[in-house]
Amino acid sequence: MAENLSTDELTERQIADYLTRHPNFFAAHLELLDRLTLVHPHKGTLSLVEMQLERQRNRIKELEAELSIFARLAQQDQAIFLALMPLQQQLSTCTNLAQGIEALNQWAKRWELQQAKILLFNDAWQKHPSLAPSYWLDRKAFELIRLERFGLRRFYLGQLTGREKALLFLPEEYPIGSVACCLLGAKTGGKSTALLLFSARDGRHFHNGQDTMFLQHLVNIVELHLTRWLANYTENL
């Protein structure tokens, strides 16, 4: 059984690599465009062209949402707008979660932070073999932290206990002085879908009482991209 699965995965990669190297393949096999169909989770069976148009429409909606957020931000706080614009440009070019986290991580280091990372709640997204275990966070295990640290808020800034650090960080990511923890996808009172983390070696860098306006705008931007990054791996449950 395991051998068959490995063979199927290898074949899919070979097909994807071949089509990437030969972008004019369908131009020479137009009859395939009429025969190929894809299953959309909400709209049933679609042709390849219909699926491409659907993806383009969705991307246009995403871009409009991005522009709307930054238009409001430019009017409200020019300093935050100028600080976040380079990050937004970088995140827009990322096509998957790993690239998105790396862009966030590099941006965080330019602000003299230790690290940025995103953890996905295990009951909010469908597992995929391309997403390593280090990307996942068990909601039940995190619930005690949420109750003690967050309450009804979406942000926690401060220090963590050794047990809390062990749940959220890998051994090679230590030492952890203080953190900014941001819940993603919890605007409407529903369950959060992911956790955005920033860490600093200085235990006083993040602390209770700090203004979270910058983080709020940052969370809005990351939320715009998260589903798109994960679309290459899995569909949201």
Side-chain angles (χ1 to χ4, degrees):
M1 183 70 175
E3 183 177 350
N4 290 337
L5 286 174
S6 177
T7 302
D8 290 342
E9 290 172 6
L10 180 61
T11 301
E12 289 180 7
R13 286 197 296 270
Q14 288 175 330
I15 294 171
D17 290 342
Y18 180 86
L19 291 176
T20 301
R21 293 195 305 270
H22 300 83
N24 296 323
F25 174 82
F26 287 109
H29 301 81
L30 292 175
E31 72 283 357
L32 286 177
L33 289 176
D34 298 326
R35 293 163 52 190
L36 288 176
T37 58
L38 300 94
V39 178
H40 189 280
H42 304 297
K43 298 186 177 182
T45 302
L46 299 177
S47 70
L48 186 61
V49 174
E50 288 173 325
M51 181 62 80
Q52 289 175 327
L53 291 174
E54 180 71 16
R55 286 175 62 85
Q56 290 172 358
R57 283 193 291 267
N58 289 338
R59 184 57 183 144
I60 289 172
K61 290 179 181 178
E62 291 171 357
L63 291 172
E64 289 175 343
E66 293 173 21
L67 290 173
S68 176
I69 285 178
F70 272 86
R72 293 196 303 270
L73 184 53
Q75 294 174 350
Q76 294 170 358
D77 197 315
Q78 187 177 14
I80 294 179
F81 171 80
L82 293 174
L84 289 178
M85 180 56 76
L87 176 62
Q88 161 61 14
Q89 293 172 338
Q90 292 174 338
L91 297 184
S92 293
T93 65
C94 298
T95 59
N96 57 51
L97 181 62
Q99 292 178 3
I101 293 176
E102 179 60 24
L104 279 166
N105 197 34
Q106 293 303 317
W107 176 83
K109 289 178 179 179
R110 287 195 290 271
W111 285 79
E112 299 183 353
L113 296 176
Q114 179 181 358
Q115 181 189 17
K117 63 186 298 184
I118 295 175
L119 297 175
L120 307 172
F121 285 111
N122 61 340
D123 60 351
W125 305 90
Q126 191 173 9
K127 292 292 183 70
H128 189 279
S130 296
L131 289 169
S134 58
Y135 286 119
W136 297 98
L137 177 60
D138 184 83
R139 189 182 298 275
K140 290 182 179 179
F142 178 75
E143 187 63 9
L144 184 59
I145 297 178
R146 188 191 68 79
L147 292 172
E148 291 184 351
R149 301 296 189 182
F150 289 80
L152 299 177
R153 300 181 301 274
R154 298 180 67 197
F155 303 96
Y156 169 71
L157 286 76
Q159 298 186 20
L160 298 172
T161 66
R163 179 186 60 81
E164 293 168 337
K165 293 177 184 177
L167 177 66
L168 302 178
F169 295 94
L170 299 172
E172 56 267 31
E173 295 170 340
Y174 283 61
I176 305 295
S178 57
V179 299
C181 303
C182 316
L183 292 172
L184 303 183
K187 281 184 180 178
T188 58
K191 284 187 176 181
S192 51
T193 59
L195 184 68
L196 173 63
L197 291 160
F198 295 97
S199 63
R201 287 189 172 87
D202 185 353
R204 298 167 296 179
H205 188 96
F206 295 113
H207 56 82
N208 185 34
Q210 280 180 289
D211 185 17
T212 59
M213 181 180 294
F214 188 91
L215 286 175
Q216 289 172 9
H217 290 300
L218 179 56
V219 163
N220 289 339
I221 294 170
V222 174
E223 286 178 338
L224 282 174
H225 296 288
L226 184 60
T227 300
R228 177 173 62 83
W229 293 339
L230 288 167
N232 287 341
Y233 306 106
T234 181
E235 291 291 334
N236 197 355
L237 290 177

